[in-house]
Amino acid sequence: MGEWTKKSRGFFTFMKTKGRLWLLLGGAMLGVLLLLFGGMSGTVKEEVDTPDTMVERVAELQAYEARLEKELEVVCEAVAGVGETEVMVSFESGYTVQYQKNGDNDPATVGTGSNEEALFHTLLPPAVAGVGIVCRGGNDPTVRETLTELISTTLGIPSNRVYITGK
């Protein structure tokens, strides 16, 4: 143990006498600063939904829902025997993002390491879970059957997901 103490004192003495102790301390400080700030980059990739992006997504979904409901109202009112119409659409989930696939059917990516990103392919609208329609003439079985066929065919959903009633 005594020999190790002599060697360590010799090292610090060597560093002091040669004026290199400040160089060693400066290098250590620089290393600590690089560790602390080295992980930060100028471009921050957001993968977590922030309140702003959530608000935007909700607004997009509400706009899509309103547009779809309005289009369905127009189509329903064009059917013979149907008057004033109100439509409500419910969705199974939000938008679905599809990515390009490579030969192994895995998502194709660009970049390397932490900068690797999947290649965007398509943004699919939310799947319709069901449709409710309230309209003048909706109590007539013929009108109800016609509207059910029209809506289920238009949206590609089963007829048991469409409910129609009169005003």
Side-chain angles (χ1 to χ4, degrees), residues 50-151:
T50 62
D52 290 341
T53 59
M54 289 301 293
V55 168
E56 289 172 10
R57 288 182 181 182
V58 168
E60 287 174 10
L61 190 56
Q62 288 174 338
Y64 175 72
E65 181 180 2
R67 189 173 66 245
L68 183 60
E69 288 174 352
K70 188 64 181 163
E71 289 173 358
L72 290 176
E73 285 175 8
V74 169
V75 167
C76 289
E77 288 175 355
V79 173
V82 177
E84 182 183 343
T85 305
E86 293 180 35
V87 176
M88 181 175 175
V89 178
S90 61
F91 298 106
E92 291 179 7
S93 63
Y95 289 95
T96 304
V97 177
Q98 287 186 337
Y99 297 98
Q100 290 183 0
K101 304 282 185 181
N102 62 18
D104 299 330
N105 208 23
D106 293 327
T109 59
V110 293
T112 58
S114 63
N115 292 329
E116 189 174 35
E117 293 181 1
L119 290 173
F120 173 80
H121 183 260
T122 308
L123 182 66
L124 299 174
V128 175
V131 178
I133 300 174
V134 178
C135 63
R136 297 213 186 277
N139 290 329
D140 181 1
T142 307
V143 170
R144 192 177 304 145
E145 182 180 345
T146 303
L147 286 177
T148 301
E149 296 274 333
L150 175 67
I151 298 302

